[in-house]
């Protein structure tokens, strides 16, 4: 085996490679038509999310950040679904139908390049760890070597599953052999194909035309373009990527977990460098679009998902799950709470064990305490619901005190109804509001009341049966049960 090929090196801006890169037009094809059989999923592979973002979008973002404007995505399996998740204005989609292999997929993009003169990068939609710098370096290498076809390779301890790079005695690539078609000696080669290539556009499509499906899978292998180029005496360059993780391909759920681990780790590093304290980084999972402001402290086992935004000086305690929510500054989200599409303004405390469901909007300096559930409700500034409460379909003013065990009875079995409680009310413990019902400003509701009618402002409302006392005769009082008598 030989891996004597040229290595990817950092390209200086004023180097001949960089100048060549700047002068040459580059475009890209991203292959995303396959089903991803090894994922064993109803969802096509490239749409599987990593940290809340479909895998293929990582590849597209990296290509864009490397400065490439013309980008063609080859879709096939669940094409509509893939197309919907791409930014249609900027990405051109073509269809490969049926899907007869990676070479066949590139051929499906040919029509989009009829007027293009330059070089084409080819990437797979299942390499989410790729970084813009790797793409820039590859283009620099390709230009520097005056190459017409370059394969990005990597050297792995365990090359299982990847196509192997066979080099000739001069160090040039002579062919790429898929694992299924490799003999024992070839299987021992540890330099593998990343599935990322750069080629002169005209040459690329002419090589593709010569590919035949003569292999173990009966597919048109893109990898066969290497041997075809060599047959035409066109040298094929192999550029070795030093950090192999960056080009890992996701084929199975095990690969998905490995790629996710790396992306989450990048997210944590970015947060910490941005001034956020993570007490136990490894156990904090932060999706791609989440933003957290400096000086917020995140304890262990916290998940921040979707488009969540968290302000400054917040404390997020263990076991908290927050999705698509907006959290202001100086907010404490205490142990074991779940917030889903909720808004919590500055200085408020939520939890422990609170549940903010969609459309819960909690104002400033408020308190939503333990075992409190809030759904589709606005809770005003300074209002407190500290214990064991359900607030659903309600509007609660500011500086309201909601006693322990209060429930808005919002559902009559057919429809949901609203409860409105105006500013400054005091609601005793264990009150039920039979909605629709409205409580005027500054009113007081006695503990244990079931409120079925509107209450005017500044009113005391109590609705509970008067207590009576009946003396017990001898022998009528409570007796210990047989169960209690057991030692
Ligand atoms: C491919 C390479 C292999 C390389 C590996 C790197 C081939 C034949 N093999 O293998 O040498 O080591 O990538 O990760 O190219 N696709 C289509 N249309 C198709 C088939 C696939 O668009 O008809 C797309 C898939 O959606 C995927 C990409 O091409 O994004 C790669 O396909 P995959 O089946 O994962 O190829 P590998 O077996 O990993
Ligand atoms: Ca793959």
């Amino acid at each position: 085996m030989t891996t004597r090929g040229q290595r990817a090196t950092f390209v200086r801006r004023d180097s001949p490679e960089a100048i060549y890169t700047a002068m040459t037009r580059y475009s890209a094809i991203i292959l995303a038509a396959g089903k991803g059989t090894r994922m064993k999923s109803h969802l096509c592979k490239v749409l599987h999310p990593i940290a809340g973002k479909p895998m293929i979008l990582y590849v597209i973002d990296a290509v864009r950040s490397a400065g490439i404007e013309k980008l063609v995505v080859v879709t096939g399996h669940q094409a509509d679904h893939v197309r919907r998740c791409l930014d249609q204005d900027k990405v051109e989609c073509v269809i490969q139908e049926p899907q007869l292999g990676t070479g066949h997929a590139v051929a499906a993009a040919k029509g989009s390049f009829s007027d293009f003169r330059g070089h084409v990068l080819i990437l797979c939609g299942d390499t989410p760890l790729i970084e813009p710098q790797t793409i820039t370096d590859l283009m620099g290498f390709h230009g520097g070597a005056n190459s017409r076809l370059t394969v990005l390779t990597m050297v792995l301890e365990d090359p299982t599953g990847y196509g192997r790079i066979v080099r000739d005695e001069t160090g040039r690539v002579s062919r790429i052999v898929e694992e299924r078609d490799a003999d024992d000696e070839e299987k021992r080669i540890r330099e593998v194909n990343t599935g990322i290539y750069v080629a002169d556009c005209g040459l690329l499509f002419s090589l593709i035309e010569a590919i035949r499906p003569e292999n173990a899978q009966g597919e048109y292998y893109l990898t066969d373009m290497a041997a075809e180029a060599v047959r035409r005496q066109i040298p094929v360059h192999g550029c070795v990527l030093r950090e192999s993780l960056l080009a890992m391909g996701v084929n199975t759920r095990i690969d998905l977990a490995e790629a996710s681990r790396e992306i989450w780790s990048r997210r944590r590093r970015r947060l910490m460098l941005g001034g956020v304290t993570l007490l136990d980084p490894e156990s904090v999972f932060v999706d791609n679009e989440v933003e957290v402001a400096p000086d917020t402290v995140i304890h262990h086992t916290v998940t921040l998902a979707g488009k969540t935004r968290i302000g400054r000086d917040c404390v997020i305690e263990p076991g908290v799950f927050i999705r698509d929510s907006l959290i202001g500054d100086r907010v404490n989200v205490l142990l074991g709470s779940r917030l889903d599409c909720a808004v919590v303004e500055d200085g408020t405390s939520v939890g422990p064990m609170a549940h903010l469901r969609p459309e819960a909007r909690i104002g400033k300096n408020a308190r939503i305490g333990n075992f409190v559930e809030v759904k589709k409700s606005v809770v005003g500034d300074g209002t407190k619901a500290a214990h064991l409460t359900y607030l659903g379909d309600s509007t609660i003013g500011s500086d309201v005190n909601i006693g322990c065990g209060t429930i808005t009875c919002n559902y009559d079995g057919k429809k949901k109804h609203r409860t409105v409680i105006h500013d400054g009310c005091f609601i005793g413990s264990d009150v039920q509001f039979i909605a629709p019902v409205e409580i005027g400003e500054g009113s007081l509701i006695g503990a244990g009341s079931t409120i079925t009618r509107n209450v005017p402002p500044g009113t005391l409302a109590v609705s509970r049966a008067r207590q009576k006392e009946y003396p017990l005769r001898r022998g009528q009082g409570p007796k210990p049960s047989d169960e209690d008598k057991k030692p």
Side-chain angles (χ1 to χ4, degrees), residues 341-409:
C341 302
V343 177
V344 179
E345 293 185 43
D346 300 349
T348 286
S349 164
V350 175
M353 312 292 177
H355 189 183
L356 301 189
R357 292 171 48 201
E359 295 180 54
R361 283 190 75 97
I362 317 296
K364 296 188 178 61
N365 304 314
R367 182 167 165 215
I368 299 296
N370 49 182
F371 304 104
V372 174
E373 175 178 341
V374 183
K375 184 216 80 171
K376 228 177 184 177
S377 292
V378 179
V379 175
D381 296 349
T383 287
K384 293 181 175 56
H387 338 263
L388 300 159
T389 284
Y390 173 61
L391 302 173
D393 301 284
S394 57
T395 304
I396 315 232
S398 49
D399 298 313
V400 172
N401 189 88
I402 306 272
C404 172
T406 292
I407 293 170
T408 54
C409 307

Side-chain angles (χ1 to χ4, degrees), residues 283-350:
S283 73
V284 172
F285 297 90
V286 180
D287 271 3
N288 201 66
E289 288 187 54
V290 171
E291 289 171 29
V292 185
D295 286 323
T296 281
V297 176
I298 300 180
H299 288 226
H300 64 269
T301 59
V302 167
T303 300
L304 306 177
K307 297 186 191 324
T308 294
R309 270 178 23 218
I310 297 183
R312 302 185 78 100
D313 294 307
C314 294
V315 176
I316 313 293
E317 285 198 351
V320 167
F321 178 96
I322 305 179
R323 175 167 43 210
D324 292 328
S325 297
L326 286 176
I327 312 289
D329 298 334
R330 301 178 315 283
V331 170
N332 291 343
V333 184
L334 308 181
L335 190 93
S337 297
R338 180 185 168 110
L339 285 65
D340 207 344
C341 302
V343 177
V344 179
E345 293 185 43
D346 300 349
T348 286
S349 164
V350 175

Side-chain angles (χ1 to χ4, degrees), residues 31-34 38 45-46 74 96 99-102 105 124-127 161-163 176 178 193-195 197 221-223 249 251:
L31 307 185
R38 290 163 281 183
K45 177 168 70 178
V46 298
V74 182
Q96 181 205 12
Q99 294 93 43
L100 301 179
T102 46
C124 298
D126 66 353
T127 54
Y162 287 93
I176 304 170
E178 290 306 292
N193 172 24
T194 60
Y197 321 80
Y221 282 170
L222 179 58
T223 44
N251 294 323

Side-chain angles (χ1 to χ4, degrees), residues 23 45 58 115 141 146 167 181 188 205 227 234 258 280 307 313 397 421 424-425 462:
M23 282 166 50
K45 177 168 70 178
Y58 287 93
D115 299 330
F141 175 95
N146 220 351
R167 293 200 187 234
D181 304 298
R188 281 195 289 275
F205 290 108
I234 297 165
E258 191 178 339
D280 176 27
K307 297 186 191 324
D313 294 307
I421 301 173
C425 285
V462 191

Side-chain angles (χ1 to χ4, degrees), residues 14-80:
D14 55 354
S15 66
E17 291 93 325
I19 292 164
Y20 177 93
T21 305
M23 282 166 50
T24 310
R25 285 186 66 200
Y26 280 92
S27 59
I29 300 176
I30 298 179
L31 307 185
K35 180 172 190 276
T37 312
R38 290 163 281 183
M39 293 293 281
K40 309 243 164 68
S41 174
H42 66 273
L43 185 66
C44 104
K45 177 168 70 178
V46 298
L47 290 182
H48 275 261
I50 296 183
K53 170 167 150 178
M55 214 188 294
I56 187 171
L57 292 187
Y58 287 93
V59 183
I60 290 179
D61 288 353
V63 171
R64 288 250 175 267
S65 303
I68 291 161
E69 279 164 19
K70 183 177 170 64
L71 213 168
V72 178
V73 177
V74 182
T75 63
H77 194 76
Q78 296 182 344
D80 286 346

Side-chain angles (χ1 to χ4, degrees), residues 91-367:
V91 177
E92 188 184 337
C93 289
V94 295
I95 295 254
Q96 181 205 12
E97 192 62 66
Q99 294 93 43
L100 301 179
T102 46
H104 183 254
V106 171
K110 187 177 176 187
S112 304
F113 290 87
S114 47
D115 299 330
F116 180 81
R117 299 283 167 276
H119 292 253
V120 184
L121 270 153
I122 303 167
L123 304 99
C124 298
D126 66 353
T127 54
L129 301 183
I130 193 77
E131 287 187 334
Q133 186 66 50
T134 305
I135 297 171
T136 318
D137 287 350
L138 175 64
M139 294 189 294
F141 175 95
H142 180 77
N146 220 351
S147 173
R148 297 182 68 200
L149 176 58
T150 304
V151 185
L152 183 67
T153 74
M154 55 189 174
V155 179
L156 299 179
E157 275 304 309
D158 174 11
T160 310
Y162 287 93
R164 309 296 206 275
I165 302 292
V166 181
R167 293 200 187 234
D168 65 17
E169 56 290 343
T170 69
R172 293 261 163 75
V173 175
S174 51
R175 60 195 188 97
I176 304 170
V177 55
E178 290 306 292
E179 182 160 274
R180 287 170 193 254
D181 304 298
D183 60 30
D184 287 346
E185 195 185 331
E186 287 163 338
K187 277 187 188 146
R188 281 195 289 275
I189 298 177
R190 285 173 42 234
E191 185 183 18
V192 302
N193 172 24
T194 60
I196 301 170
Y197 321 80
V198 204
D200 171 280
C201 184
L203 174 68
L204 172 69
F205 290 108
S206 118
L207 291 174
I208 297 283
E209 267 170 31
I211 293 175
R212 295 286 163 264
E214 283 148 15
N215 49 59
Q217 294 206 96
E219 285 187 357
Y220 293 84
Y221 282 170
L222 179 58
T223 44
D224 286 350
M225 72 180 162
E228 177 60 21
V230 171
R231 206 180 59 77
R232 298 185 194 180
Q233 297 181 331
I234 297 165
V236 181
H237 294 81
C239 169
V240 187
L241 178 69
R242 282 164 205 261
E243 213 183 318
S244 58
L245 185 68
L246 298 181
M248 78 164 284
V250 172
N251 294 323
T252 65
R253 306 276 180 159
I254 296 171
D255 302 331
L256 183 70
E258 191 178 339
S260 303
R261 199 161 32 241
E262 169 63 16
I263 294 212
W264 268 314
S265 147
R266 291 179 189 175
R267 291 292 296 137
R268 293 173 191 125
R269 281 200 295 270
R270 205 180 319 157
L271 281 186
M272 292 188 281
L273 290 173
V276 178
T277 295
L278 304 187
L279 296 188
D280 176 27
E282 299 291 292
S283 73
V284 172
F285 297 90
V286 180
D287 271 3
N288 201 66
E289 288 187 54
V290 171
E291 289 171 29
V292 185
D295 286 323
T296 281
V297 176
I298 300 180
H299 288 226
H300 64 269
T301 59
V302 167
T303 300
L304 306 177
K307 297 186 191 324
T308 294
R309 270 178 23 218
I310 297 183
R312 302 185 78 100
D313 294 307
C314 294
V315 176
I316 313 293
E317 285 198 351
V320 167
F321 178 96
I322 305 179
R323 175 167 43 210
D324 292 328
S325 297
L326 286 176
I327 312 289
D329 298 334
R330 301 178 315 283
V331 170
N332 291 343
V333 184
L334 308 181
L335 190 93
S337 297
R338 180 185 168 110
L339 285 65
D340 207 344
C341 302
V343 177
V344 179
E345 293 185 43
D346 300 349
T348 286
S349 164
V350 175
M353 312 292 177
H355 189 183
L356 301 189
R357 292 171 48 201
E359 295 180 54
R361 283 190 75 97
I362 317 296
K364 296 188 178 61
N365 304 314
R367 182 167 165 215

